[in-house]
Each structure stands twice: as structure tokens, then as C-alpha cells.
Amino acid sequence: MEALWDDYGSTIEFAMAFSLFALSTYVALRAGVLSLAAVPFAAVTGFVSLVLIEDHGVAVELVLVIGVGLGALSALLVGLPLLRLESHWIALATIAFVLMARVVVLNIEDVTGGSQGKPVTRTIETWEVLFVLVLAAWIMARHRRSRLGLAAEAVRNHPDVAASLGVHVVGIRRRMLMVSGAIAGLAGVVFANLVQFLSPDTFYVNVAFVMLAAVVLGGAFHWSGAIAGAFVFTLLPELLRNYLTEGERIVNGILLILVMIFMPRGLIDPSRRLRRRIKTDARAHDKADTTEDAEFWDLNLTGATIESVSKGVGDGVALEVRNVTKAYGGLLAVKDLTFQVAEGSTFGVIGPNGAGKSTLLSLIDGSVLPDEGQVVLFGEDVSGLTPHEIASRQVSRTYQTVQLFEDLTVLENIMVGFHRHRVTGFWDPVLMTKRDRREHAELEGQARELMDRVGVIGRPDQYAATLSYANQRRVEIARALAASPRLLLMDEPTAGMHKLGTQAVGELILELRDQGLTVVVIEHNLELVINYCERAVVMDFGELLCEGLPTDCLAQPNVIEAYFGRKADAQRIESLLELRKHPGG
Amino acid sequence: MTLFLQQVINGLAIGSTYAIFAMGFGLVFATMNILNVAHGTYATWGAIVGLWAFETFGLPFVPALVVGVLGAGAIGVAVDQLGFEPLRRRGAGLLGPIITSIGFWIILGQLAQIVTDSRIQTFPRDVLPRGFIRTWGLIIPYKQVVTIVVAIVLLVGLYWFVERTRMGAKMRAVGSDADSASLSGVNTRWVVIQTAFIAAGTASIAGILNAISTNNVSFTLGEGLLLKGFAAVIVGGFGDLRGAALGGYLIGLSEVLGAQYVSNAFRDFITFGLLLLILVVRPQGLLGNRIVTLRA
């Protein structure tokens, strides 16, 4: 054992230091920030530790604490201009920081020794390195599925969806980048102490690229992946050195290429077993929608329609769209649209493909800015607010094509919806406070209730992507409801559902309305609009064709002709209207 | 004034190698969506193979250059087909290919180190005609003239090829939507192979010209070009060959003029500061048109 430590002890110490670099990169990556900035952050604290230790004799333990603060501060400053960029542009910008850090190091010779470099006396103990690494790993492990962790996962998977649930995307990225900076700060101090000599090339692109590669090699979906990657990258060439005289690092390159081809999610992938099962279950899966649901799902259908239930409870105006216009290039997606939705009502938006319905929804939820006009929510003009600001006005939405967070389970997906209501902070999960445990247990219970309420068939701990399409839609509705909206926007909620499923969604809409929610539904499915919406607008080519009772609108000859066109559709609408007059017939 | 003009020419000469390099680098990003970290090693290997052909067989400059281009081009195609093609079939995003390219960057870098025995070699001084053009009080070495002329010919030629020829149209089609291009009868794999060859080939020309002007053939040659090429493509704009070329010249000029008029020590700082400024103020680059900021 002792002999082994003599041979590989220092390599293992370096592997631990590199693990800190990798963890730092991993933390940023979790929030979808492809950052190489761990290296310049570490450069700052590395050289500061050189000065503090050599010139002022400060104890390394204190330097570590200073390193944490300094790293986080550097990350905050670097993040200010960069975080509004898209992920791979952030990566490029952080490379620029790596390069500039080296120039600075070269040019403040008094401090850094310029191109000659300067020695550092080692004062850190092995157990201290291990302690720092365990601490960093502990924090990441505890934040795997915390409020921050779930939000970060959401931001990485679908930033726009996260924002629609009230997650401040840039805020989460800033926080994760600051955590990344803090860990990189530790890495800088530890690494400086271990190498015992700092030069401009100590913290340079090579380290940045290699650390990014190590994280992805080990697995960017679990904190242990970063550590595994760093250990493989450091130990493997060292072991090969026994047999090779040069080029031992080539093995790392080969390993990277092979892993990217055969294990694209890295060596450690918490969802691997599940994903493998999906493949084998794929065929059974396709059937789920038609048979399993109908057979095993107790639908509890009541047969209620808009006419058989009482009027909604609210009397104000939930949503007002005033003269809203939006053009993409020369194409007018929405043209001078004006309508109101009463509070506590159900409202349908119908129109053929390309009528501008989904654009309308994006204009309301803030993900698209109108060229002209205003959107007023509950009496407040919200035009120009960002999606998460609008979400904090208690607006939620679902999407035309399902947008679930694929790296989260069903329950975790729904729990992202609770984001705005949670009170636990950064330290609660780390210190395992009572508050944290209580909140987690309560919200898990609520998420299960929501699953039941919208009728999700599936296990709570199942990855969302393994559900059938209709069930994914239901999870999306549950997630939107978790944010406890006053206004719920649904984009084709029944697409891909069979008839009974559609009816269940319709009845859910009515139930929500009876609790005071306002529900706006975009639909192709006219039955849903006729049976469950109090009022509706018909759109075509971005313009309003009709506003009023769904039955009245669809009876208008100009709507039928100008827009459904074909005779068959006209007949179909007539028969639908006939049905409405004689329910049950 | 003379000094200024002299420095502008120096800047254009060094910028020429960056521009050539950046066009290939940008072409790969635009058509294949790969941020290829290994692109710099193509320049290194082009110079190594070119020098080898020059010294071992006593080839004149132009044939030696061609051998270098063929060597680097072959490496580029091999890297693409071994490393990137499997990812392309799976439809991997941006991160996977970056990591694969880091793998090749490690392998090709280490191999270059072994082959050159970690030593710095040089092309002989007479590989290009020695001497100067003297005009208007300026002194312009022939090798700068050659560099600038080769760059212009390559840049115009490549732009013409991509924008005006059938093959170029196929390349652009694959770049904007590989699946649709494939459906309309374009042999995407062949297009990708050609693009990889052209990109690596141009990188090797940049490498050889850079090696001659800096008297340096070593395993780190491509590293500097890669970083400057990065910067050039960001400054000029991804997905636009003219942007990449413009970026290359701007980086070259800012480097030389910055060193002359601001501070020699901080010349790289000015270059990368310019890069950062562009990223913050106009992240799509001077001529680019991609939307790259979030609305959140």
C-alpha cells in the first residue's frame, strides 16, 4: 500500500486537483453553460495564493477560503456580459478569457514572474486536498435534485420552457457559474500548491480543453462523472508510462473518440439502464396509447360539457390582446388582433395551420415580442416583459410539441413547476435542514396528486421521455398546473389523444375553470372547443375572422367557406353543430 | 506615415495566414456544425509533411506545398470519417463533436511532438525568393508578397467555388439542411469529405506560409493559428466566408498595429479584447446573421 502511494501518490493528488477543475466545468454545464472559464478563474486564485503564501506567509487553509470568494466573484463579473449569449457563444467567449488571462500573467512580472514563472512552497496536506474535493462533491450531490438543481436541469434542457415556469434563466446560469467559479477558485489554490511552480502556461487552453473533455468522458449528467473523468485522464497515461517512453497521452485521445461514438453520455450515466430498457420496450410502447390507456385508466368521466355546468366565477378580464401585430420578415403572423378573455372562463382559439395561433400564444407568454400593440394580463400591461416575469404573474402554458425535461423523471418534471413557490435556499440542501426535508416531502406529495388529477399513467420515478405521447402531454399539463396559474395557456392539449382522453382533458378544463382559473386553448379539435369553451376566436392568416360563441362562429358561412374550404369539412361542422343541439344523440 | 504603411503591410501579411486558416475553420462550422479544435493540428502536419517533402526529395516550393496539402487533407478526411461521421449519423449536437475533436487534437499533437522530436525546425531561407520590393519608401520582402498574393487567390477562389459552382451549391445545401439536401439527391457524404479535405488543405497552406514567415516548424505551430483562427471567425461572423477572411485580416492588423502603437507586451490582449468586445456587442460577428442571444 505504502509502495503504491510512493509510486502514484502524487498522481492521485493531481487527479484530485483536476477533479476540482472538472467539477467546476460540470457545474456550469449543468445549467447549459459550456464554459472553459474554470481555468482563468483558477489562474486568478492560483496567482493570488502564490502572493499570499510566498510574500505574506498566509496559511493555506485561509487562502482556500479566500479562493472560494475570489473565484465566485470572478465568475460573477465574467458572467455579466456573457450569460445572455447562447451556450456555444459563451464557450467561445470563455476561451477569449483563457487567452487574455495568460497575457495578463505574462505582463505583471512583479507578481507572477512573467514568462519565467515563480515557485510556490507546498503547505497543503493530502487530507486537505481530499477534504476540499469531498466538500465540493457533497455540495453537488446535495444539489442534484434541489430547487437549484432542478431549475438548472430545466434551463439546460429547454431554457424557454424553464422561463415559462417562472425560472429566471440568466439568474440560474449566473448562480451555477458562481458555484463553478468558487470550485475553480479552490482548484487554483490546490493546484498551485501541488505543482509548486506557476508559469503563464500553468493555466492555459490545454488545461481548459482537457478538463472539458474529461467531464464529458466521465459523464456530464452526474457529479461523479466529472471526478471519474478527471481520474481516468490523469491516471491512465501515468500507468502507460511504465510501458511507453513517449506519447502516453495519446490513449486519452483515443478513449475520448471511442467514448463519444459508443457511449455518448459518458462513462457514468445515471439513466443508462433505463434508456436501455426503453429500446427493448419500444414496441410495447407504441401500443400504450390505444390500448393501455383505455383499458387501465379509470377515466372518471362525468359527461359534463360547457352547457351543463354553471357559469364561471370571475367577473374581471384575465387577458386582453390589443391591436397586436407580429411580422416575421415580410410574413404577417399576427395582424392587428384584438380580443378579451373574461376571468374564470374557458376560451378557444381555432384556425388552420399557419393561422398564427401558436405565435399568438408566444406573444402572450412573452417569448416573442409584438411589433405593435399590447398584451394586458389582469389589468396590467405586460408588453415587453420577459417570459419569467410574465410567468410570475401566474401564467403557465403547455406546448404544441411536448417539451418535457428529458433528463428528469415524471415527478421531477412536475416539481420544476413549483420553482417559484419554494423557499429553500442554496444552503438548505447542503446542510440537510429540516425545512429542506419538509419542503421536499410536501412537494413530492403535491406532485403525485397532480399526476393523479390529470390522469398520468406511469410511475413517478420513470424518465419522462419513456412515457407514451399522450401521457407526456398530461405530465406537461400537470407541470403547468404546479406553477399554480391563474391563466393557463394550452397549445393543442389533445393532439395524439384518443376520444376518451380528449373528453378527460375537456372535463379537466372545466374543473379548473370552476376553481377560478382562466383557460385559453388552441385547438384543431373542434369538438373540444364546442363542448368545453365558452367563447372562441377564429383566426386565419393572422387575422381575426370571428369572435363569439364557438357554435355561432362555426356556423358563420364565411368561416366555413373562407377557411375550412372543402365541402367535407363544412358537412362535418354541420354534423357537429347538430350533435350539440341533441347531446347524447 | 511610411512606418504606418509598412506596419499595415506586415499586418496584412500575417493576417493573410489567419484569413486562410479561418476560412477553412469557418467552412467546417458552417457546413458541418463542428467547432474543430483539431483544425490547428492540420496546419502543423501540413508544415511537417511539406518540410519533409522539401528536404527528403528536394522538391521545389510549389510541389512541396502540394504534398503538404495532400498530407493534411488526407488527415482531415480521416479524422472526419473516423471521428465525426459516426456522430453525424446519430445526430449528435455541438458538444459531442467538440469533444471528439479534442481527442484528435491530443492524438495529432502528441504524434507531431514525437515526429519532430519536440525540436523546432525551419524551412531553408531560400525556399521562397529572397529580396525585397522597394517602393514609396516601403520595404516589402518577397515572402510577404507571396503570402498576400496566395491568400487573395485562395480566398477569392474558395469564395467563387462555394458561391458560384455546383459543388459549392451542394456544400451550402448540406450546410443549411443535410437531410433535405440528401433527399434532393445530393451525396452528402461525398460533399462532407470534400469539405473536410478543402478545410484541412487550406489549413496546411496557412501553416506552411506561417512557418516560413516565422521560421518555425514545430508541434505547437498550429496552436497559435487555431487561437487566432477562432478569434477571426468570431470577429467576422460564423457561416460567412467573407466574414472569416475579414476577421483574419482584422486580427492580423490589430496585432501588428497594437504592438506598434499601444504595447508590444499586450498585443495579444488587444487581439482577444477585440474578440471579447465583438462577442458582447455584436455576437453574430461583423458579417454574420445568426441570432445568438437569448430572450430571457
Side-chain angles (χ1 to χ4, degrees):
Chain A
M1 194 65 197
E2 207 141 300
L4 203 65
W5 185 256
D6 285 344
D7 284 347
Y8 293 108
S10 102
T11 308
I12 290 170
E13 282 180 340
F14 273 108
M16 290 196 279
F18 282 128
S19 297
L20 287 170
F21 277 105
L23 268 180
S24 165
T25 309
Y26 158 79
V27 173
L29 212 52
R30 272 200 74 184
V33 179
L34 183 48
S35 161
L36 297 163
V39 168
F41 297 154
V44 171
T45 62
F47 279 100
V48 164
S49 76
L50 183 147
V51 173
L52 289 177
I53 292 172
E54 296 306 308
D55 299 351
H56 304 280
V58 180
V60 73
E61 293 79 12
L62 182 59
V63 179
L64 282 170
V65 176
I66 295 171
V68 169
L70 210 54
L73 181 69
S74 316
L76 179 68
L77 295 177
V78 164
L80 285 179
L82 297 192
L83 283 177
R84 59 189 188 89
L85 298 178
E86 264 191 359
S87 185
H88 41 287
W89 263 262
I90 295 178
L92 296 172
T94 54
I95 294 179
F97 274 107
V98 179
L99 305 176
M100 288 197 296
R102 181 172 185 272
V103 184
V104 175
V105 169
L106 269 172
N107 285 285
I108 43 173
E109 273 184 47
D110 297 345
V111 182
T112 63
S115 57
Q116 298 299 308
K118 265 191 183 175
V120 186
T121 318
R122 175 168 174 169
T123 47
I124 202 165
E125 304 281 342
T126 304
W127 70 266
E128 286 173 319
V129 179
L130 182 65
F131 177 78
V132 167
L133 176 60
V134 169
L135 189 70
W138 171 258
I139 291 175
M140 286 341 294
R142 292 298 303 163
H143 271 294
R144 187 169 139 70
R145 292 296 179 258
S146 67
R147 175 176 189 258
L148 178 64
L150 285 176
E153 253 358 279
V155 166
R156 179 166 59 82
N157 275 305
H158 294 295
D160 42 345
V161 181
S164 85
L165 293 166
V167 176
H168 183 12
V169 173
V170 174
I172 293 294
R173 289 199 166 148
R174 186 179 304 126
R175 271 195 118 182
M176 294 302 269
L177 192 63
M178 282 176 73
V179 177
S180 163
I183 298 177
L186 290 171
V189 177
V190 171
F191 193 68
N193 239 273
L194 293 182
V195 286
Q196 300 174 43
F197 189 85
L198 293 187
S199 76
D201 290 334
T202 308
F203 302 102
Y204 200 41
V205 268
N206 304 35
V207 183
F209 284 152
V210 167
M211 282 304 107
L212 177 66
V215 172
V216 180
L217 174 87
F221 298 91
H222 197 268
W223 57 270
S224 59
I227 296 175
F231 268 80
V232 170
F233 248 73
T234 325
L235 289 177
L236 200 55
E238 201 54 37
L239 294 174
L240 277 184
R241 210 181 278 242
N242 296 335
Y243 312 101
L244 295 174
T245 47
E246 54 183 348
E248 67 278 353
R249 278 190 297 132
I250 290 175
V251 67
N252 283 345
I254 295 170
L255 192 63
L256 272 180
I257 294 158
L258 292 178
V259 166
M260 282 302 101
I261 293 173
F262 297 107
M263 302 170 94
R265 287 171 66 91
L267 298 173
I268 293 179
D269 175 11
S271 67
R272 177 166 294 129
R273 205 180 299 162
L274 270 160
R275 277 167 205 277
R276 200 171 290 153
R277 202 162 67 206
I278 302 166
K279 270 188 190 162
T280 53
D281 287 359
R283 202 181 291 161
H285 215 68
D286 291 337
K287 290 183 190 160
D289 240 39
T290 48
T291 55
E292 191 189 314
D293 287 20
E295 278 174 26
F296 302 113
W297 183 24
D298 181 8
L299 284 161
N300 278 327
L301 297 176
T302 61
T305 64
I306 195 68
E307 291 196 332
S308 60
V309 297
S310 59
K311 280 277 162 218
V313 286
D315 47 5
V317 176
L319 166 70
E320 194 182 345
V321 175
R322 278 191 208 144
N323 306 102
V324 166
T325 296
K326 174 70 197 176
Y328 291 110
L331 184 76
L332 270 174
V334 171
K335 189 174 169 189
D336 197 22
L337 205 62
T338 301
F339 65 88
Q340 287 190 351
V341 178
E343 206 174 332
S345 71
T346 56
F347 194 91
V349 179
I350 23 188
N353 285 328
K357 303 187 299 293
S358 290
T359 304
L360 173 66
L361 218 59
S362 302
L363 287 164
I364 297 171
D365 88 350
S367 48
V368 173
L369 282 180
D371 298 333
E372 281 166 51
Q374 288 105 41
V375 175
V376 180
L377 287 172
F378 304 105
E380 181 193 4
D381 184 356
V382 297
S383 325
L385 293 188
T386 57
H388 84 269
E389 286 169 331
I390 289 181
S392 74
R393 268 91 178 155
Q394 290 180 279
V395 177
S396 304
R397 67 168 295 179
T398 67
Y399 292 83
Q400 189 179 359
T401 45
V402 182
Q403 308 268 350
L404 291 176
F405 306 121
E406 50 262 36
D407 291 315
L408 296 180
T409 65
V410 171
L411 209 63
E412 288 161 353
N413 259 282
I414 298 172
M415 286 184 68
V416 176
F418 294 128
H419 181 78
R420 265 187 322 114
H421 309 298
R422 297 178 72 166
V423 290
T424 47
F426 183 80
W427 294 108
D428 282 296
V430 176
L431 303 173
M432 303 211 292
T433 59
K434 208 172 171 186
R435 184 165 70 157
D436 184 63
R437 265 173 294 158
R438 199 186 323 123
E439 185 187 79
H440 201 264
E442 272 173 21
L443 292 182
E444 248 185 43
Q446 287 178 28
R448 278 170 207 273
E449 280 168 28
L450 279 171
M451 269 181 79
D452 287 345
R453 179 156 180 204
V454 300
V456 177
I457 304 169
R459 290 196 324 277
D461 62 348
Q462 200 172 346
Y463 278 86
T466 64
L467 289 175
S468 73
Y469 190 65
N471 273 310
Q472 291 190 26
R473 283 207 167 281
R474 292 181 190 116
V475 173
E476 206 179 51
I477 296 173
R479 186 180 66 187
L481 289 177
S484 59
R486 289 165 76 193
L487 173 63
L488 177 62
L489 309 167
M490 301 172 106
D491 200 345
E492 299 192 20
T494 66
M497 285 193 191
H498 55 71
K499 211 169 151 95
L500 291 177
T502 304
Q503 192 181 340
V505 169
E507 290 180 12
L508 176 69
I509 290 173
L510 288 183
E511 201 184 305
L512 294 170
R513 185 202 70 156
D514 288 342
Q515 290 166 1
L517 253 80
T518 312
V519 185
V520 175
V521 191
I522 289 181
E523 259 306 340
H524 271 306
N525 185 335
L526 296 173
E527 284 166 71
L528 187 89
V529 176
I530 291 171
N531 285 329
Y532 302 102
C533 289
E534 290 163 58
R535 295 185 74 80
V537 287
V538 183
M539 289 175 72
D540 193 20
F541 292 111
E543 282 185 277
L544 197 73
L545 280 192
C546 171
E547 200 229 320
L549 294 173
T551 44
D552 289 351
C553 272
L554 291 171
Q556 275 187 26
N558 71 324
V559 171
I560 297 172
E561 242 185 71
Y563 140 55
F564 292 98
R566 300 203 325 271
K567 208 177 169 186
D569 282 326
Q571 279 170 352
R572 181 169 151 68
I573 291 163
E574 269 167 36
S575 67
L576 272 171
L577 293 175
E578 203 61 30
L579 263 178
R580 286 287 303 111
K581 283 179 205 153
H582 312 286
Chain B
M1 190 62 195
T2 312
L3 178 66
F4 176 75
L5 283 178
Q6 185 77 55
Q7 293 293 31
V8 166
I9 288 169
N10 288 340
L12 288 177
I14 193 86
S16 293
T17 59
Y18 299 161
I20 298 169
F21 184 88
M23 275 183 89
F25 185 70
L27 186 68
V28 169
F29 187 80
T31 46
M32 309 190 222
N33 214 17
I34 296 171
L35 212 59
N36 189 359
V37 174
H39 205 78
T41 59
Y42 301 160
T44 311
W45 277 95
I48 291 173
V49 173
L51 181 63
W52 169 77
F54 189 87
E55 286 186 335
T56 314
F57 303 108
L59 292 179
F61 175 66
V62 174
L65 184 77
V66 170
V67 173
V69 169
L70 290 176
I75 293 172
V77 171
V79 165
D80 186 88
Q81 291 301 301
L82 289 175
F84 298 137
E85 180 67 21
L87 305 193
R88 206 173 285 130
R89 292 194 176 173
R90 199 179 62 225
L94 189 85
L95 186 58
I98 292 183
I99 303 302
T100 299
S101 77
I102 292 176
F104 282 110
W105 167 73
I106 294 173
I107 295 173
L108 292 171
Q110 287 258 296
L111 287 177
Q113 194 171 355
I114 294 171
V115 169
T116 59
D117 209 9
S118 302
R119 281 181 302 119
I120 294 176
Q121 295 161 284
T122 55
F123 276 98
R125 293 195 172 278
D126 56 357
V127 63
L128 287 177
R130 300 174 73 175
F132 306 89
I133 296 175
R134 290 167 197 272
T135 176
W136 299 330
L138 301 173
I139 302 169
I140 309 168
Y142 280 128
K143 65 180 183 184
Q144 283 194 349
V145 177
V146 171
T147 305
I148 291 172
V149 170
V150 168
I152 291 172
V153 170
L154 268 179
L155 298 181
V156 173
L158 196 57
Y159 183 74
W160 174 81
F161 177 76
V162 171
E163 297 292 328
R164 295 277 181 274
T165 65
R166 258 186 91 76
M167 194 57 221
K170 287 179 186 172
M171 253 177 212
R172 281 178 289 133
V174 170
S176 72
D177 186 342
D179 290 339
S180 307
S182 173
L183 285 174
S184 17
V186 176
N187 183 344
T188 49
R189 188 159 186 184
W190 181 231
V191 170
V192 162
I193 289 175
Q194 287 196 324
T195 311
F197 184 87
I198 291 172
T202 49
S204 72
I205 296 174
I208 290 170
L209 291 175
N210 196 273
I212 292 171
S213 69
T214 59
N215 288 320
N216 169 11
V217 177
S218 75
F219 68 99
T220 57
L221 168 74
E223 214 94 312
L225 272 175
L226 176 73
L227 299 176
K228 299 294 160 62
F230 250 144
V233 169
I234 295 166
V235 168
F238 275 101
D240 189 307
L241 289 179
R242 289 167 301 178
L246 175 70
Y249 285 115
L250 280 179
I251 296 291
L253 284 172
S254 81
E255 205 175 292
V256 173
L257 295 179
Q260 176 70 41
Y261 295 105
V262 187
S263 151
N264 187 34
F266 274 90
R267 64 180 209 168
D268 279 344
F269 197 79
I270 294 161
T271 306
F272 296 124
L274 174 74
L275 161 70
L276 200 65
L277 184 76
I278 292 275
L279 271 167
V280 172
V281 179
R282 196 180 156 76
Q284 67 272 45
L286 294 175
L287 299 183
N289 50 13
R290 290 199 189 197
I291 299 167
V292 295
T293 49
L294 294 167
R295 214 190 112 56

